[in-house]
Amino acid sequence: MIQSWFECAPQLVDVAMGRTPADMVVRNVRWVNVHSGEIIPATDIAIAVGRFAFVGPNADHAVGPETQIIDGEGRYALPGLCDAHMHVESGMVTVTEFARAVIPHGTTSMFIDPHEIANVLGMPGVKLMHDEAAGLPINVFVQMPSCVPSAPGLENAGASLGPADVREAMSWPNIVGLGEMMNFPGVVAGNGDMLAEIAATQAAGKTVGGHYASKDLGLPFHAYVAAGPSDDHEGTSLADCVARVRQGMRAMLRLGSAWYDVAAQIKALTELSLDSRNFVLCTDDSHSGTLVDDGHMNRVVRHAIAQGLKPITAIQMATLNTAQHFGMERELGSITPGRRADLVLTSDLTELPVETVIARGCVVSNDGKLVADITPYDYPASTKNTVRLGKKLSAADFDIVAPEGANQVMARVIGVLENQAPTRALEASLGVLNGIVQMDRTGDVCQIALVERHHGTGKVINAFVSGFGYDKPCAIASTVAHDSHHMIVVGTNKDDMTLAANRLGQVGGGVVLFSEGRELALVRLPIAGLMSDQRAEIVAEEANGLIAAMLACGCALNNAYMQHSLLALVVIPELRISDIGLIDVLKFQPTEVLVATTA
Amino acid sequence: MIQSWFECAPQLVDVAMGRTPADMVVRNVRWVNVHSGEIIPATDIAIAVGRFAFVGPNADHAVGPETQIIDGEGRYALPGLCDAHMHVESGMVTVTEFARAVIPHGTTSMFIDPHEIANVLGMPGVKLMHDEAAGLPINVFVQMPSCVPSAPGLENAGASLGPADVREAMSWPNIVGLGEMMNFPGVVAGNGDMLAEIAATQAAGKTVGGHYASKDLGLPFHAYVAAGPSDDHEGTSLADCVARVRQGMRAMLRLGSAWYDVAAQIKALTELSLDSRNFVLCTDDSHSGTLVDDGHMNRVVRHAIAQGLKPITAIQMATLNTAQHFGMERELGSITPGRRADLVLTSDLTELPVETVIARGCVVSNDGKLVADITPYDYPASTKNTVRLGKKLSAADFDIVAPEGANQVMARVIGVLENQAPTRALEASLGVLNGIVQMDRTGDVCQIALVERHHGTGKVINAFVSGFGYDKPCAIASTVAHDSHHMIVVGTNKDDMTLAANRLGQVGGGVVLFSEGRELALVRLPIAGLMSDQRAEIVAEEANGLIAAMLACGCALNNAYMQHSLLALVVIPELRISDIGLIDVLKFQPTEVLVATTA
């Protein structure tokens, strides 16, 4: 833990005056000043007790015999990068391993919303990630999940959170606010619980995260703003971010592993020249492969610059702007006295090679290599073996029974769309054999099952899905199934579905692919069935193996695994599956798998 | 009192959706959008329960039979103006009367530091102004005075405040932070009390106001920043504001009645193109005459625009930037949903005629005329009759005795400088008559006395002053005498000095001028000897009478009265007077009036 500014102010003053030596002096940098918007050459930086004590043309007076000297060699010093909104679970690693992966990319602050683990483990899960975060050498602040489950009445998750939980969480030291308020129809309708969660957050003086995932910028949008969310990362178009900023929200522009929302919206700055202070960068969801191969916030800032944005503006959007948004500008986000001594040294302000990373006054990464000593966080037994199937599944659990005497049926089919989160509500005519509705592999209609896995009820909801293109006997099962995180099994034959589902029950969760009885890929996610306890590199390698196996079975979609894991997300149209049945997400109500009997 | 946003969010949402009518709809304005930096034409604004509920192209859906409609006629709607740092006492009126005077100028938020009354009445005085502020129809937030007395050890004020008082005040609802930390030498030296006051403020999550009144931008400046103050209004040069912003402070640019610090510093924006978000406008000190004749924050914004600043940027510096500085951007400073419905309608964005002012959803001023019904605040008896002289003064109380047998002495003389706050430490050779040192009217050396008036000790400190130019027999006495607010009497003859001092004791404080036994002018300030209980217009008229009387007695200085009232300000060089004697403010220690005996 780092001392408060006011606790160490006497030392900082002494160092600034030259009465006490600094712990570290970084000499001769080009100071990327996010307050003034300038690059100031030939600057020295003195650091003490984890905070900046002096930033000016000469820090010789702060150098003592024990002071660690770093020669900046005229490189740029920018504040450590901040991710304004993200879910650690998307990386399938723990907070600790996520930090280990992103520190070498220059990330020193993350604002995380642990709503995946909350859906599995409830408040204890949120508290664990909160406590894990507090022990890290970088700054990880937690947004209390607001919508667990995401669609009350349409699904049952492993836990349920409400206003009383939000009130409790607001007293935890590392909670910065409420996580994305996804239930925008509820907010706009005046839902008491949703408004009470917002009120509890505002009463605590904290930030209410928004999530207005709709193209409608008319009255519902205005009503959502009036309810209190203060940011939104769901904008995708130029009009979206302009509307949000005009209404006094901060527009969070998102570049995740599969979200590409920066290029269109950044035109608000590069073409419309709006005031940039209300624009913030974030990732929302990064896969471990992205973290290992491409980067984290450095990737987002670099991308923003590549869109024509001035480097200083792009850097502000991942440092000062973020800090100001969360009321933390006196704590982080700039290289100025009193703030946490988080900085990045880079020799190029466009490509942003991350050469040295300092967090709280300690060098944590050099030349892309982590040098901080980070203790793995030991998740308790209560977070393991959370895949409770209640029984050993058999192929018959996946049978969809036809109406008595039917030979052919018309069935509703979830239609997966390439590169889109929404699905289509399709229908298909399917054959019947021995009273059981059959899949249609040539027509790309296979089965999907949601296996209840939180309470061991043994319940299996079966339906049909199309669009993955599986052309071999196979099945893929995953305990990552947003947001309720039951188990979703998609397969072209029931024996492989059975093997896959039972295998995840056995290993405590993850993603597995079986084909003709053989396990082709397994990503072990023992923590809540969502996260590995391994390094990001290992998880990325396992995930690559899974993607290769999916491809080998005929699925060539971009982000095929993400498509799989979103099929239970009953807040996004049109047709989804949940533990209470097939869900019509246009009408927000359950529907039947079979439409009618034909012939 | 206005409800919290979260308390009335359900109503705001209902109004935005058209389910409930708004209280007021302002139609067809040009929306000065301080978030995006745009002017957006043809905008409607719906207001409910004192807050903005909807801002968009058409608010017809929010109009019900009882809704008050205001036709904006295409005029500009800008957020109500904010004064980021000011002392109400400088207007010599109460908070209520100050508000009454400035509302027609478009001011709807003031951040006040009641350190004058604190020097007289201590915590009860601060609490009174805090409570008075809370009852007003505009937003008045209080900064807890940090330096009472301003120079411990060099003066005794009517009260003394310390870290425990600061801690207590931080729990009062309308306290936004710590008032200007003037004791910068103490801060830089690591003074425990000063750092404890800053710590108490930061621990409460509030803003520490700065006051670094020095030209030295070297180590002491850096150390001051490292101690925690987050703004400063004492900058006067371009280098001053650039240095402050680079170090992560907000530069408050000041245009008071006698402070002209905007023009030089605004070049940081108009010429250097620094990021404007960290620049804020304020007045610090406005006389009632300025308020009546020239305006308040509208005067400052207009002046900034006249220096070449874009109107939208100047407006941001008196609205959004101020709100962000105090962590209140979700509460005020922009015309967006949820914020307090404070706005100004004007037909010209350069000259800023203030045509209509709305505060918390009510029209409070139209065409320069206050229409709000504001109840006068009744100050309790404990705030009156605070001029305790302990005795009736006589002319002999002003005698400066020469050393035995001396005919001529060399005396230290406070040298008043035109248009400057610092004084010079002069010396003059003065005659002796009957053992008493004589004034030298032709040499413009007259007497100054500090009369102890808080504790009735009867103590009178006598010295000499030069520079006022009084050429008639006269005396002027004032119980406004920054910061300790004893009584200062300056005169060319002792009979008039006696009359003036006793007169203020009789009326409970104010400013009075006597010449040859006649009272030529009196400004009555019965509240703490600092403030009138009358309207600003009346006080301004009385003050004009005083200035005319001073002129009639030969004093042609600009701001002669301000010069008079600053002669006990023992934190500004070079020579001042306090209740413990003549003070050498270069050495920060008392000194003798007489240097040596000559001839």
Side-chain angles (χ1 to χ4, degrees):
Chain A
M1 285 300 295
I2 187 166
Q3 279 187 313
S4 299
W5 181 348
F6 63 84
E7 287 171 324
C8 54
Q11 288 119 292
L12 300 181
V13 170
D14 282 348
V15 170
M17 285 301 284
R19 290 190 291 257
T20 303
D23 298 332
M24 178 188 284
V25 166
V26 185
R27 278 194 164 127
N28 186 26
V29 299
R30 281 187 269 188
W31 182 16
V32 178
N33 195 304
V34 291
H35 292 290
S36 67
E38 301 168 294
I39 313 287
I40 300 166
T43 299
D44 284 2
I45 300 168
I47 296 169
V49 286
R51 294 183 182 269
F52 296 115
F54 171 92
V55 190
N58 184 342
D60 284 353
H61 65 288
V63 175
E66 308 291 323
T67 303
Q68 180 183 359
I69 306 287
I70 291 179
D71 185 353
E73 299 172 322
R75 287 179 292 173
Y76 298 94
L78 49 133
L81 301 176
C82 308
D83 193 344
H85 175 72
M86 52 163 282
H87 308 281
V88 163
E89 300 97 316
S90 300
M92 291 181 171
V93 292
T94 60
V95 187
T96 302
E97 297 306 330
F98 202 101
R100 195 192 289 280
V102 301
I103 287 171
H105 298 308
T107 301
T108 59
S109 295
M110 306 194 290
F111 296 81
I112 72 170
D113 176 354
H115 79 200
E116 316 302 353
I117 201 171
N119 270 275
V120 178
L121 299 172
M123 284 292 270
V126 177
K127 189 65 163 51
L128 273 167
M129 288 182 81
H130 170 276
D131 293 349
E132 179 184 14
L136 291 169
I138 62 169
N139 315 308
V140 184
F141 303 101
V142 178
Q143 301 182 297
M144 171 67 185
S146 61
C147 299
V148 177
S150 68
L154 295 179
E155 65 179 350
N156 300 287
S160 162
L161 303 180
D165 300 301
V166 171
R167 269 188 292 275
E168 184 196 327
M170 288 305 138
S171 69
W172 301 350
N174 258 22
I175 292 279
V176 289
L178 192 67
E180 48 184 339
M181 174 46 77
M182 299 186 291
N183 187 357
F184 58 90
V187 168
V188 164
N191 177 298
D193 274 0
M194 296 303 104
L195 293 181
E197 290 187 357
I198 291 172
T201 308
Q202 290 187 325
K206 297 180 189 285
T207 305
V208 178
H211 170 116
Y212 181 80
S214 164
K215 291 280 147 211
D216 181 357
L217 294 174
L219 299 193
F221 166 68
H222 286 83
Y224 185 75
V225 175
S230 69
D231 61 53
D232 192 8
H233 56 272
E234 290 295 327
T236 58
S237 70
L238 179 55
D240 285 346
C241 73
V242 170
R244 282 155 175 79
V245 167
R246 284 179 175 175
Q247 295 289 327
M249 283 181 140
R250 286 213 170 67
M252 289 191 176
L253 312 193
R254 173 171 69 174
L255 185 76
S257 292
W259 311 120
Y260 293 88
D261 298 325
V262 174
Q265 297 185 91
I266 206 121
K267 291 185 166 61
L269 304 176
T270 55
E271 295 182 6
L272 303 184
S273 299
L274 298 199
D275 192 323
S276 65
R277 75 177 89 175
N278 293 302
F279 291 79
V280 172
L281 298 173
C282 71
T283 64
D284 202 0
D285 298 289
S286 296
H287 304 159
S288 44
T290 303
L291 302 181
V292 171
D293 300 330
D294 303 327
H296 187 230
M297 287 307 297
N298 57 335
R299 166 180 176 253
V300 187
V301 174
R302 195 187 295 134
H303 172 76
I305 294 168
Q307 304 306 309
L309 197 64
K310 277 172 61 183
I312 183 78
T313 309
I315 291 165
Q316 286 177 318
M317 289 167 64
T319 58
L320 180 64
N321 296 11
T322 316
Q324 287 186 330
H325 180 56
F326 290 104
M328 290 193 172
E329 67 166 300
R330 304 284 299 163
E331 190 61 24
L332 50 89
S334 71
I335 301 175
T336 50
R339 278 70 167 182
R340 299 185 184 197
D342 304 333
L343 68 81
V344 171
L345 295 180
T346 181
S347 50
D348 185 293
L349 217 48
T350 302
E351 284 303 316
L352 282 186
V354 175
E355 290 152 6
T356 296
V357 183
I358 292 172
R360 301 182 192 168
C362 298
V363 175
V364 288
S365 172
N366 253 329
D367 297 326
K369 295 222 165 22
L370 186 82
V371 297
D373 189 23
I374 303 182
T375 317
Y377 188 75
D378 204 9
Y379 271 79
S382 58
T383 64
K384 315 282 177 70
N385 295 310
T386 61
V387 182
R388 302 182 187 93
L389 302 184
K391 67 180 182 187
K392 190 156 197 234
L393 295 173
S394 65
D397 285 312
F398 301 106
D399 283 350
I400 297 176
V401 178
E404 188 82 30
N407 293 321
Q408 195 78 9
V409 296
M410 188 61 76
R412 291 192 171 80
V413 177
I414 301 170
V416 171
L417 295 168
E418 173 77 313
N419 287 331
Q420 291 192 32
T423 62
R424 286 183 63 200
L426 306 176
E427 294 187 357
S429 177
L430 298 173
V432 175
L433 189 65
N434 298 328
I436 304 299
V437 183
Q438 302 295 301
M439 302 186 237
D440 173 10
R441 199 180 300 168
T442 57
D444 191 22
V445 176
C446 64
Q447 273 191 231
I448 179 171
L450 185 138
V451 180
E452 200 287 324
R453 67 108 165 167
H454 296 304
H455 305 294
T457 59
K459 193 171 180 185
V460 179
I461 302 293
N462 288 297
F464 296 99
V465 66
S466 173
F468 282 111
Y470 293 118
D471 56 10
K472 293 211 168 51
C474 67
I476 173 169
S478 171
T479 53
V480 177
H482 300 276
D483 280 341
S484 61
H485 299 299
H486 288 288
M487 183 194 298
I488 290 178
V489 191
V490 170
T492 56
N493 88 63
K494 295 177 187 174
D495 288 338
D496 284 328
M497 291 176 79
T498 309
L499 286 166
N502 286 327
R503 177 66 165 146
L504 292 189
Q506 180 204 347
V507 301
V511 196
V512 69
L513 190 150
F514 273 81
S515 179
E516 299 183 284
R518 288 197 307 125
E519 179 176 299
L520 299 193
L522 173 65
V523 183
R524 286 175 197 261
L525 303 173
I527 301 170
L530 300 174
M531 293 179 287
S532 171
D533 48 8
Q534 302 293 314
R535 298 278 162 92
E537 294 82 353
I538 294 170
V539 177
E541 196 179 310
E542 289 182 356
N544 284 338
L546 175 75
I547 290 162
M550 290 174 86
L551 193 59
C553 292
C555 174
L557 288 181
N558 270 330
N559 296 304
Y561 166 68
M562 175 177 274
Q563 293 284 15
H564 182 106
S565 67
L566 293 180
L567 291 175
L569 190 55
V570 292
V571 290
I572 303 189
E574 295 178 3
L575 196 61
R576 304 271 160 182
I577 194 168
S578 92
D579 66 304
I580 69 167
L582 196 63
I583 305 293
D584 178 338
V585 192
L586 293 174
K587 296 182 181 159
F588 281 96
Q589 64 188 34
T591 185
E592 297 297 321
V593 173
L594 301 186
V595 184
T597 311
T598 53
Chain B
M1 285 299 294
I2 186 165
Q3 280 187 311
S4 299
W5 181 348
F6 64 84
E7 287 171 323
C8 55
Q11 287 118 293
L12 300 180
V13 170
D14 281 349
V15 170
M17 286 300 284
R19 290 190 291 256
T20 303
D23 298 333
M24 177 189 285
V25 166
V26 185
R27 279 194 164 127
N28 186 27
V29 299
R30 282 186 269 188
W31 181 17
V32 178
N33 194 303
V34 291
H35 292 288
S36 67
E38 300 168 294
I39 313 288
I40 301 166
T43 298
D44 284 3
I45 300 168
I47 295 169
V49 286
R51 292 182 183 270
F52 296 115
F54 171 92
V55 190
N58 185 341
D60 284 351
H61 65 287
V63 175
E66 308 292 322
T67 303
Q68 179 182 359
I69 306 287
I70 291 178
D71 186 353
E73 299 172 321
R75 286 180 292 173
Y76 297 95
L78 50 133
L81 301 176
C82 309
D83 192 344
H85 175 73
M86 51 164 280
H87 308 281
V88 163
E89 299 98 317
S90 300
M92 291 180 172
V93 293
T94 61
V95 188
T96 301
E97 296 306 329
F98 202 101
R100 195 192 289 278
V102 301
I103 287 171
H105 298 308
T107 301
T108 60
S109 295
M110 306 194 290
F111 296 80
I112 72 169
D113 176 354
H115 79 201
E116 315 304 353
I117 201 171
N119 270 276
V120 178
L121 299 173
M123 283 293 269
V126 177
K127 188 66 164 49
L128 272 167
M129 289 184 80
H130 170 277
D131 293 350
E132 179 185 15
L136 290 170
I138 62 169
N139 315 307
V140 184
F141 303 101
V142 178
Q143 301 182 297
M144 170 67 185
S146 62
C147 299
V148 177
S150 68
L154 295 181
E155 64 180 348
N156 300 286
S160 161
L161 302 180
D165 300 300
V166 171
R167 268 188 293 276
E168 183 197 327
M170 290 302 139
S171 69
W172 301 351
N174 259 23
I175 292 278
V176 290
L178 191 68
E180 47 183 341
M181 173 47 77
M182 299 185 291
N183 186 356
F184 58 91
V187 168
V188 163
N191 178 297
D193 274 358
M194 296 303 106
L195 294 180
E197 290 187 356
I198 291 172
T201 308
Q202 290 187 325
K206 298 181 190 285
T207 305
V208 178
H211 170 114
Y212 181 79
S214 164
K215 291 280 148 212
D216 181 357
L217 295 174
L219 298 192
F221 167 68
H222 286 82
Y224 185 75
V225 174
S230 69
D231 60 53
D232 193 8
H233 56 272
E234 291 294 328
T236 58
S237 70
L238 180 56
D240 285 346
C241 72
V242 171
R244 282 154 175 80
V245 166
R246 283 180 177 174
Q247 295 289 328
M249 284 181 141
R250 285 212 171 67
M252 289 190 177
L253 312 192
R254 174 172 67 173
L255 184 77
S257 292
W259 311 119
Y260 293 88
D261 298 325
V262 174
Q265 296 186 90
I266 206 122
K267 292 185 166 61
L269 304 176
T270 55
E271 295 182 5
L272 303 184
S273 298
L274 298 198
D275 192 325
S276 65
R277 75 177 89 174
N278 293 304
F279 291 78
V280 172
L281 298 173
C282 70
T283 64
D284 201 359
D285 298 291
S286 297
H287 305 160
S288 44
T290 304
L291 302 181
V292 170
D293 301 331
D294 303 327
H296 186 228
M297 286 306 297
N298 57 334
R299 166 179 176 254
V300 188
V301 174
R302 196 187 296 132
H303 172 76
I305 294 168
Q307 304 306 310
L309 198 63
K310 278 172 61 183
I312 183 79
T313 308
I315 291 165
Q316 286 177 319
M317 288 166 64
T319 59
L320 180 64
N321 295 11
T322 317
Q324 287 186 331
H325 180 56
F326 290 104
M328 289 192 173
E329 65 166 300
R330 306 282 299 163
E331 191 60 24
L332 51 87
S334 71
I335 301 175
T336 50
R339 277 71 167 181
R340 299 184 184 196
D342 304 333
L343 68 80
V344 171
L345 294 180
T346 181
S347 49
D348 186 292
L349 217 48
T350 302
E351 284 302 316
L352 283 185
V354 175
E355 289 152 7
T356 296
V357 183
I358 293 172
R360 301 182 192 168
C362 298
V363 175
V364 288
S365 173
N366 254 329
D367 297 325
K369 295 222 165 22
L370 187 81
V371 297
D373 188 22
I374 303 182
T375 316
Y377 188 76
D378 203 10
Y379 272 78
S382 58
T383 65
K384 314 282 176 70
N385 294 310
T386 61
V387 181
R388 303 182 187 92
L389 303 183
K391 67 178 182 188
K392 189 154 197 240
L393 295 173
S394 64
D397 285 312
F398 301 106
D399 282 349
I400 298 175
V401 177
E404 188 80 28
N407 294 321
Q408 194 81 7
V409 296
M410 187 61 76
R412 291 193 172 81
V413 177
I414 302 172
V416 171
L417 295 168
E418 173 76 311
N419 288 329
Q420 290 192 34
T423 61
R424 286 182 63 198
L426 305 177
E427 294 185 359
S429 176
L430 298 173
V432 176
L433 188 66
N434 299 328
I436 305 298
V437 185
Q438 302 296 300
M439 302 186 238
D440 173 10
R441 200 182 298 170
T442 56
D444 191 24
V445 176
C446 63
Q447 271 192 235
I448 178 170
L450 186 138
V451 181
E452 201 286 325
R453 68 108 164 167
H454 297 304
H455 306 293
T457 59
K459 193 171 181 185
V460 179
I461 303 292
N462 289 297
F464 295 99
V465 65
S466 174
F468 283 111
Y470 293 118
D471 56 10
K472 295 211 167 50
C474 67
I476 173 169
S478 172
T479 53
V480 177
H482 301 275
D483 281 342
S484 60
H485 299 299
H486 289 289
M487 185 194 298
I488 291 179
V489 191
V490 171
T492 55
N493 87 62
K494 296 178 187 173
D495 288 337
D496 284 328
M497 291 176 79
T498 309
L499 286 168
N502 287 328
R503 176 67 163 146
L504 292 189
Q506 179 205 349
V507 300
V511 197
V512 70
L513 191 148
F514 274 81
S515 180
E516 298 181 285
R518 288 196 309 125
E519 179 178 298
L520 298 193
L522 172 66
V523 183
R524 287 175 196 261
L525 303 174
I527 301 171
L530 300 173
M531 293 179 287
S532 171
D533 48 8
Q534 302 294 312
R535 297 279 163 91
E537 294 82 353
I538 294 171
V539 177
E541 198 179 308
E542 289 183 357
N544 285 338
L546 175 74
I547 290 162
M550 291 174 86
L551 193 58
C553 291
C555 174
L557 288 180
N558 270 329
N559 296 304
Y561 167 68
M562 175 177 273
Q563 293 284 16
H564 181 106
S565 68
L566 293 181
L567 291 175
L569 189 56
V570 291
V571 291
I572 303 189
E574 295 179 1
L575 196 60
R576 304 270 160 182
I577 193 168
S578 91
D579 66 301
I580 68 169
L582 196 63
I583 305 292
D584 177 337
V585 193
L586 292 173
K587 295 183 181 158
F588 283 97
Q589 65 188 35
T591 185
E592 296 299 321
V593 173
L594 301 186
V595 185
T597 310
T598 54

